[in-house]
Amino acid sequence: MGGMNDEAADRREIEALLPWHAAGALTLQEARRVEAALARDPELRRSFEAAREELAGVVEANEALGTPSPHAMDALFAKIDHEPRPARAIRAGLFAGLAAFWASLSPRTLAWAATAAALVIALQAGVIATGVSRPGRPAPTYATASATPPAPAAPGLYALVRFSPKATGAEITAALQANQAAIVDGPTAGGLYRVRLAPGPATPERRTELAARLQAAKGVDFAAPAQ
Amino acid sequence: MSTTSDEALIDRIANGDRLAMQVLYARHHVRVYRFIRGFVRNEATAEDVLSETFLDVWRQAGRFERRSSATTWMLSIARFKALSMVRRRTDEALDEDAAARVADTADDPEATLAAADRAAVLRRCMANLSPEHREVLDLVYYHEQSVAEAARVIGVPEGTVKTRMFHARKNLAGLLAAAGLE
């Protein structure tokens, strides 16, 4: 009697899991348990078939809901641009780069770096003293040796693109040429490139359309409109 | 192909990486939007909720603790935002809901024609389920959320999710039988 009750409870438990089994959202262990029960219970199999049909219906119903307009993305990123930077970003900006740099140096390198820094300070002191001693001289403008003036963002439409790891150079070139696109930045850590899209009216609709066209090109894994 | 995980993207977003935000949005906005449409029928309002949801993702990324998947976390935010919006616009939402139900059950020639299609009947029956039952079907069948994840999104115990799913399926089977489908 107790055995029959256990069996019934076990069956109810398995039946409750069928929707998750149909969706592939069970652990391997649970899925095996459900599969074993399905193999010996025709009624459970019928219930599972029904679950699969329900799944197809739910997916279809969701697909029929369409997609949000590109305006939603523009509105979101316009808001983000007016947001203060996240607190963690500010902390990271101040300290993380510096900490990572120092951590990467060996003790010997650190010793050399300290000596070099002392020399630079002494040299700067000399330069400042010379400057101060010649009051009539015009103040020089400042630029680091590696600096190039920041390019103003060129007008136009942009997209983020990730190429397939197997894409050949010819495929990448063809994808860019066919869409009159040019890489302007990248790759990022995620392997994304920023590309300028074909010249023309800078409307959100056109940006979405061009990004979709690029997404469809051979050798392109991912493309999305970008600022 | 190796892609950056959602969790890694959220980590970068927490550091103010706008590009990571664009990638995360590109990956998830359609599904999140469709989940929101389960609560908010008006498309423009749903887009507003979508925008609020991802703005919260941007703001809260630093607090994401990986106790759930990124999808579960985003759906939880979307659900909260959608319900808040519905509460703010109760009258409007009720009107829309009533209108949608009338359209769902309309016995016009077009509806009769559509009824010939089994999938269409299934869709129509689902539209007549309670919001709670539709939600659990959506979370499991469309968003592929596990029992624990669906429980987290809805904010109820796992046992409740299973029970709710059981009743959702039972009610759906009843509606299908009434529509002539076994």
Side-chain angles (χ1 to χ4, degrees):
Chain A
M1 186 71 183
M4 280 176 72
N5 282 343
D6 287 350
E7 209 174 295
D10 192 50
R11 193 180 178 285
R12 274 199 303 276
E13 206 180 314
I14 296 286
E15 186 164 18
L17 292 177
L18 291 179
W20 282 275
H21 190 50
L26 290 181
T27 63
L28 193 60
Q29 196 182 0
E30 286 171 331
R32 281 183 183 151
R33 195 171 149 223
V34 172
E35 279 296 331
L38 286 173
R40 61 176 184 263
D41 189 332
E43 205 177 317
L44 272 184
R45 280 203 294 278
R46 274 194 292 279
S47 183
F48 181 57
E49 271 314 303
R52 284 161 58 97
E53 277 190 27
E54 290 156 17
L55 184 145
V58 168
V59 170
E60 210 174 304
N62 271 279
E63 297 295 332
L65 288 173
T67 57
S69 69
H71 170 73
M73 184 180 182
D74 293 337
L76 167 67
F77 282 91
K79 282 183 197 163
I80 284 177
D81 287 341
H82 285 93
E83 285 279 303
R85 288 187 79 203
R88 197 169 125 193
I90 297 165
R91 284 200 304 275
L94 284 174
F95 303 117
L98 202 60
F101 172 72
W102 288 116
S104 69
L105 299 180
S106 68
R108 183 184 289 261
T109 315
L110 274 172
W112 278 109
T115 310
L119 278 170
V120 168
I121 290 166
L123 197 63
Q124 279 178 335
V127 170
I128 291 166
T130 311
V132 168
S133 66
R134 294 183 188 173
R137 194 170 163 186
T141 54
Y142 174 80
T144 62
S146 61
T148 49
L157 297 171
Y158 293 87
L160 292 174
V161 178
R162 187 189 294 117
F163 297 104
S164 161
K166 289 180 184 166
T168 63
E171 281 171 351
I172 291 171
T173 309
L176 293 171
Q177 277 179 350
N179 291 283
Q180 297 180 56
I183 294 175
V184 293
D185 200 2
T188 64
L192 286 165
Y193 291 85
R194 187 162 179 263
V195 302
R196 191 171 54 244
L197 298 166
T203 63
E205 290 78 10
R206 192 165 167 275
R207 180 168 56 195
T208 305
E209 185 199 331
L210 292 178
R213 211 184 293 165
L214 201 54
Q215 167 84 67
K218 193 176 179 191
V220 173
D221 267 348
F222 169 84
Q227 292 296 317
Chain B
M1 189 190 81
S2 72
T3 51
T4 310
S5 72
D6 290 338
E7 288 73 20
L9 286 175
I10 291 172
D11 215 38
R12 284 165 53 187
I13 291 166
N15 287 321
D17 187 336
R18 198 175 181 279
L19 201 61
M21 186 68 203
Q22 285 173 312
V23 176
L24 191 77
Y25 182 86
R27 269 187 203 169
H28 293 283
H29 73 289
V30 173
R31 279 175 176 263
V32 173
Y33 168 78
R34 288 173 179 168
F35 182 61
I36 292 167
R37 288 289 307 277
F39 302 90
V40 181
R41 289 177 183 266
N42 179 283
E43 290 173 19
T45 311
E47 286 187 2
D48 288 345
V49 176
L50 178 73
S51 177
E52 279 188 29
T53 300
F54 276 93
L55 191 60
D56 243 36
V57 167
W58 172 261
R59 287 171 177 164
Q60 308 292 332
R63 294 183 204 162
F64 176 61
E65 292 173 346
R66 300 189 184 213
R67 282 186 299 191
S68 61
S69 73
T71 302
T72 302
W73 181 61
M74 286 187 287
L75 290 177
S76 303
I77 296 174
R79 184 178 196 273
F80 176 78
K81 294 284 175 191
L83 288 176
S84 302
M85 177 70 84
V86 169
R87 277 187 209 110
R88 281 205 300 273
R89 300 185 176 187
T90 306
D91 295 341
E92 180 197 337
L94 285 176
D95 287 348
E96 288 172 4
D97 206 40
R101 279 176 194 280
V102 169
D104 286 340
T105 55
D107 192 17
D108 56 21
E110 196 183 346
T112 310
L113 187 67
D117 181 347
R118 190 181 169 84
V121 173
L122 192 61
R123 278 206 306 275
R124 290 162 64 78
C125 290
M126 279 175 180
N128 285 316
L129 289 173
S130 71
E132 288 81 12
H133 287 170
R134 267 204 316 269
E135 180 185 37
V136 75
L137 288 168
D138 274 341
L139 280 172
V140 177
Y141 286 142
Y142 186 65
H143 296 282
E144 299 168 356
Q145 296 287 284
S146 69
V147 176
E149 288 170 333
R152 188 179 279 268
V153 172
I154 302 172
V156 295
E158 292 181 21
T160 306
V161 168
K162 287 185 190 170
T163 310
R164 197 173 285 181
M165 175 56 105
F166 174 80
H167 289 296
R169 294 191 69 203
K170 198 173 159 193
N171 286 352
L172 182 61
L175 289 168
L176 286 170
L181 287 179
E182 290 299 328

